[in-house]
Amino acid sequence: MQFGMHQPAHRTLVHISDTHLLAGGARLHDRFAVEDNLRRALRRVEQTGISPDALVFTGDLTDLGEPDAYARLRSIVEPFAAQLEAPIAWVAGNHDERPQMRRDLLDEEPSEKPIHHTWDLDGLRLIALDSTVPGWHHGDLDEAQLEWLAAELAEPAPLGTILALHHPPLPSHVPMFDILELRGQDRFADVLAGSDVRTVLAGHLHYSMHGTFAGIPVSVAAATCYTMDVAREPQRVNGMDAGQAFNLVHVYDDTITHTVVPVDGADPAGAFSPEFYARLAAMTPDERLEAFSRKPGR
């Protein structure tokens, strides 16, 4: 149903980040019920009623890289994705372990090589990069991976390209994240120059943030495990079991939108019912303008 100037989105992605699952279904830091939080997030995805073209998980899939944590993640997400008939783009994060992730999540031979993949979503190219540095929490993209990325981007895709990686190529006002940021951003920018990359998806920060990198929009999804209380002054920002969210990514001809969806909903006001939309659809454009665009009392 279209009432404005934009056609419906060509593609829709669900962007989820930082699930941090643990073996045995344990709570993170003995406090955060990370599996329950992930299930709640997926129920909210289902509540949107959309049929996404992919589910994108931007890293820190597990907290310690444990085999059972990856198995539990699969048991929760894969049936849900199969129900939606949507592929899953798993992105490595600094808390993940490459060999275990390859073996226990991707059914590949265990290896320390970077985990990067490309998906063709009917003309929209989705590329997952591996910004992890084994044994460290900061991020980087080595020369071999940047060469691989340049080769992938050499031929433009019909609907352009979306990149997904764990470490966002953005500054953070939280002092600690300076230590944990993506390094070598100048080399990364050189590869993206003149390419068809339309947006970059990332995680790592545990709070929602947006910016631009090399002229390209960057969207950071908040975590599902726990989020950062950025209402505090920067030196006191810390984790809280509230504000979990995921993003909906809508791909249009001339723009891409990123919508933050809170995991915890509330009872709607009820102003926009299905009957309201049916009545709107039955009107002519002039009738809709007259009935719903004019301010009361004018």
Side-chain angles (χ1 to χ4, degrees), residues 220-232:
V220 180
T224 63
C225 62
Y226 68 86
T227 62
M228 304 301 285
D229 187 358
V230 293
R232 295 172 172 234

Side-chain angles (χ1 to χ4, degrees), residues 13-18 56-59 91 126 161-171 188 197-223 245-250 256-261:
L13 310 181
V14 172
H15 177 197
I16 297 173
S17 201
D18 292 86
V56 185
F57 287 76
T58 50
V91 179
L126 172 64
T161 296
I162 291 178
L163 298 184
L165 74 167
H166 183 62
H167 298 80
L170 293 176
F188 187 29
V197 174
R198 300 182 62 187
T199 193
V200 177
L201 310 181
H204 189 46
L205 302 182
H206 287 230
Y207 64 91
S208 299
M209 186 171 71
H210 302 84
T212 58
F213 172 71
I216 299 169
V218 178
S219 176
V220 180
F246 60 90
N247 291 359
L248 296 179
V249 182
H250 288 92
I256 295 180
T257 63
H258 305 266
T259 304
V260 178
V261 183

Side-chain angles (χ1 to χ4, degrees), residues 21-28 32-36 39 66 68-69 72:
L21 263 62
L22 286 158
R27 287 175 174 258
L28 183 61
F32 303 110
V34 292
E35 284 195 12
D36 290 344
R39 290 189 176 95
E66 302 157 302
D68 184 61
R72 300 179 77 88

Side-chain angles (χ1 to χ4, degrees), residues 12-259:
T12 304
L13 310 181
V14 172
H15 177 197
I16 297 173
S17 201
D18 292 86
T19 51
H20 282 265
L21 263 62
L22 286 158
R27 287 175 174 258
L28 183 61
H29 306 315
D30 297 321
R31 177 183 174 190
F32 303 110
V34 292
E35 284 195 12
D36 290 344
N37 289 347
L38 174 58
R39 290 189 176 95
R40 286 167 46 229
L42 296 182
R43 285 195 295 270
R44 284 286 278 174
V45 172
E46 187 175 29
Q47 189 178 15
T48 67
I50 67 171
S51 298
D53 295 281
L55 305 176
V56 185
F57 287 76
T58 50
D60 283 358
L61 311 171
T62 67
D63 192 60
L64 299 173
E66 302 157 302
D68 184 61
Y70 287 117
R72 300 179 77 88
L73 181 64
R74 295 183 73 166
S75 71
I76 295 171
V77 177
E78 287 184 349
F80 179 77
Q83 175 186 329
L84 296 177
E85 299 182 342
I88 309 169
W90 298 115
V91 179
N94 54 286
H95 278 263
D96 292 301
E97 297 291 341
R98 287 174 178 172
Q100 292 90 322
M101 181 174 167
R102 284 188 179 277
R103 182 189 63 208
D104 301 312
L105 186 63
L106 304 177
D107 294 327
E108 299 177 0
E109 288 297 315
S111 167
E112 285 285 4
K113 293 180 179 179
I115 300 171
H116 48 240
H117 294 282
T118 300
W119 293 263
D120 178 4
L121 305 178
D122 196 16
L124 175 68
R125 181 165 52 200
L126 172 64
I127 296 178
L129 298 173
D130 187 344
S131 59
T132 67
V133 180
W136 299 87
H137 286 297
H138 68 271
D140 206 345
L141 297 166
D142 62 25
E143 289 301 328
Q145 190 170 185
L146 290 175
E147 290 176 5
W148 173 85
L149 176 60
E152 291 291 296
L153 297 176
E155 184 71 27
L159 296 178
T161 296
I162 291 178
L163 298 184
L165 74 167
H166 183 62
H167 298 80
L170 293 176
S172 171
H173 76 285
V174 181
M176 181 183 67
F177 282 106
D178 289 349
I179 306 168
L180 308 177
E181 69 183 6
L182 180 70
R183 300 183 182 179
Q185 293 185 23
D186 52 345
R187 295 179 291 112
F188 187 29
D190 288 342
V191 174
L192 301 190
S195 73
D196 71 341
V197 174
R198 300 182 62 187
T199 193
V200 177
L201 310 181
H204 189 46
L205 302 182
H206 287 230
Y207 64 91
S208 299
M209 186 171 71
H210 302 84
T212 58
F213 172 71
I216 299 169
V218 178
S219 176
V220 180
T224 63
C225 62
Y226 68 86
T227 62
M228 304 301 285
D229 187 358
V230 293
R232 295 172 172 234
E233 60 270 30
Q235 288 75 15
R236 297 188 64 235
V237 169
N238 219 316
M240 62 179 184
D241 196 7
Q244 287 91 343
F246 60 90
N247 291 359
L248 296 179
V249 182
H250 288 92
V251 180
Y252 297 88
D253 281 329
D254 56 353
T255 191
I256 295 180
T257 63
H258 305 266
T259 304

